[in-house]
Amino acid sequence: MLKRRIIPCLDIKDGRTVKGVNFVGIRDAGDPVDLAKRYIDEGADELVFLDITATVEKRRTLLKLVERIAAVVNIPFTVGGGISAVDDAARLLAAGADKVSVNSAAVRRPELISEIAARFGSQALVLAIDTKYVEGEWRVFVNGGREITPLQTIGWAMEAEDRGAGEILLTSMDQDGTKAGFALELTDLVSKSVQLPVIASGGAGTMEHFNSLFQRTRISAGLAASIFHYGEVKIPELKTYLKTQNIPVR
Amino acid sequence: MIAVIDYGAGNVRSVQNAFQRLGQEVVLSADHAKIRAADRVILPGVGDASWAMKSLKANRLDRLIPSLKQPVLGICLGLQLMCQVSKEKDTECLGIFNASVKRFPTNGLVPHMGWNDLEQLRGPLFQNLSGVDDFYFVHSYCAELGDETQAVCDYISPFSAALNRDNFYATQFHPEKSANVGNQLLLNFLAL
């Protein structure tokens, strides 16, 4: 049986792991490679690295880091942040990333999704959507959650699927950093609207939150950052617990 | 020395890294003499079968690969390319295995992406591994079951997770991305 995935996310700034709360305020959480190794030992199913300082001059730092990660990581990993052209994706994949995640640039120019999927395959492309409930509808935000767009979340997810995205990383900005639980209604809605694996992100605070996510939605994976970094939820215990709840995990 | 066949496919870096972590010397090459001289040959790949076959033909690798005598391991698209035909743009493949490759039925999420367990394991690749071990898959097409099947995976319907015929081995999953159990499988391949 296909297992539900547990994915630690490492936000990267200047080559270090950091974690913001509600997209502002940054705390240092260590060397990404050390953290990645720890997560593999603990049984993480996949890793996501999001570079939150992906300015042009920092790209080289990120590529070096991706090469270091690829040399030691023997599970799949995704890299995102500042990817605005097929060549950006090409460099990261050549450095050893398995998938790239695109966000703002795909909103500005949706053809980017089709271009990356056509060149590297859908499996290499994760569309990240940051969303928030505004005046009765789920709206897509860009630029690290600072800017609202006219796009509605469900429609955007469906368009991304048509354009060849292989997976959707869905972050509820309302929940992110709150540790109050995943946005179940939203993730359920999105996962029923597309035939793609959807990764839920934002709000995980306890093991029970993952259980509710997997019991009440058909979501493929749950992603979290700080609760794993600071050991509030430990992956081996989380998996043991989920097994007792009859959730298929590795 | 291990030769990873270079035909422009993505994702070869992780295969190289995995064998390097096991202390192996790895070259990425399309050179027939180098590939023939290697102790082990890897046919990696992700992406489109029709594109991949065109690319192999451009370097006459479609002739070379079936004639190799050392252990050869196809991974993911590599397995599909070693079959007879693929429904992906109705592509004629290398014809090493008898199996044909078809798309998953549409009554489930495609691609099949993530960790899945195997059944009916047999053959040297699965020494010291059991059916409870999960491997990492990501694919939209799969090979049918047959005499050459070495492991069965059930996703929407059962398909060949691994194939073997003579010196040719292949896995639909990615051993290089399957943590410790993947390492064990690669060690088993090296021990052939």
Side-chain angles (χ1 to χ4, degrees), chain A residues 149-164:
Chain A
T149 73
L151 292 176
Q152 290 195 36
T153 301
I154 302 294
W156 177 227
M158 290 166 72
E159 182 180 345
E161 177 176 33
D162 288 343
R163 288 184 177 278

Side-chain angles (χ1 to χ4, degrees), chain A residues 1-5 40 44-46 67 69-77 93-99 120-123 166-167 191 194-198 218 220 249-250, chain B residues 10-11 13-14 17-18 21 46-48 106-117 119 132-139 154-155 174-181 183:
Chain A
M1 188 185 285
L2 185 65
K3 308 299 185 289
R4 308 285 188 112
R5 289 172 282 158
I40 294 169
D45 296 306
E46 226 170 298
E67 287 178 1
I69 293 165
V72 299
V73 165
N74 59 3
I75 60 172
F77 72 98
L93 295 169
D98 297 287
K99 313 176 192 178
F120 302 105
S122 293
Q123 85 294 331
E167 212 170 1
S191 67
V194 292
Q195 285 292 313
L196 298 176
V198 177
R218 62 169 210 177
S220 301
V249 289
R250 183 168 71 101
Chain B
N11 239 25
R13 185 70 175 263
S14 52
N17 282 334
R21 280 194 292 271
V46 290
D48 183 284
T106 49
N107 54 334
L109 295 187
V110 175
H112 172 217
M113 181 184 284
W115 298 80
N116 211 331
D117 50 297
E119 294 161 35
V132 298
D133 294 317
D134 288 296
F135 288 87
Y136 187 79
F137 290 84
V138 47
H139 59 125
D154 192 359
Y155 183 71
H174 288 269
E176 78 282 11
K177 286 287 158 185
S178 297
N180 293 341
V181 295
N183 280 347

Side-chain angles (χ1 to χ4, degrees), chain B residues 7-76:
Chain B
Y7 63 99
N11 239 25
V12 291
R13 185 70 175 263
S14 52
V15 176
Q16 290 174 277
N17 282 334
F19 281 107
Q20 278 161 0
R21 280 194 292 271
L22 296 173
Q24 300 294 311
E25 193 193 332
V26 187
V27 293
L28 180 64
S29 181
D31 183 273
H32 287 212
K34 269 190 193 158
I35 293 169
R36 268 196 201 290
D39 303 311
R40 298 283 184 281
V41 176
I42 312 296
L43 180 61
V46 290
D48 183 284
S50 118
W51 173 87
M53 280 308 298
K54 274 189 200 118
S55 183
L56 288 174
K57 282 178 184 168
N59 289 313
R60 299 173 64 82
L61 291 162
D62 61 316
R63 301 277 195 84
L64 174 75
I65 296 166
S67 74
L68 292 171
K69 300 288 178 238
Q70 66 273 61
V72 177
L73 179 66
I75 298 176
C76 194

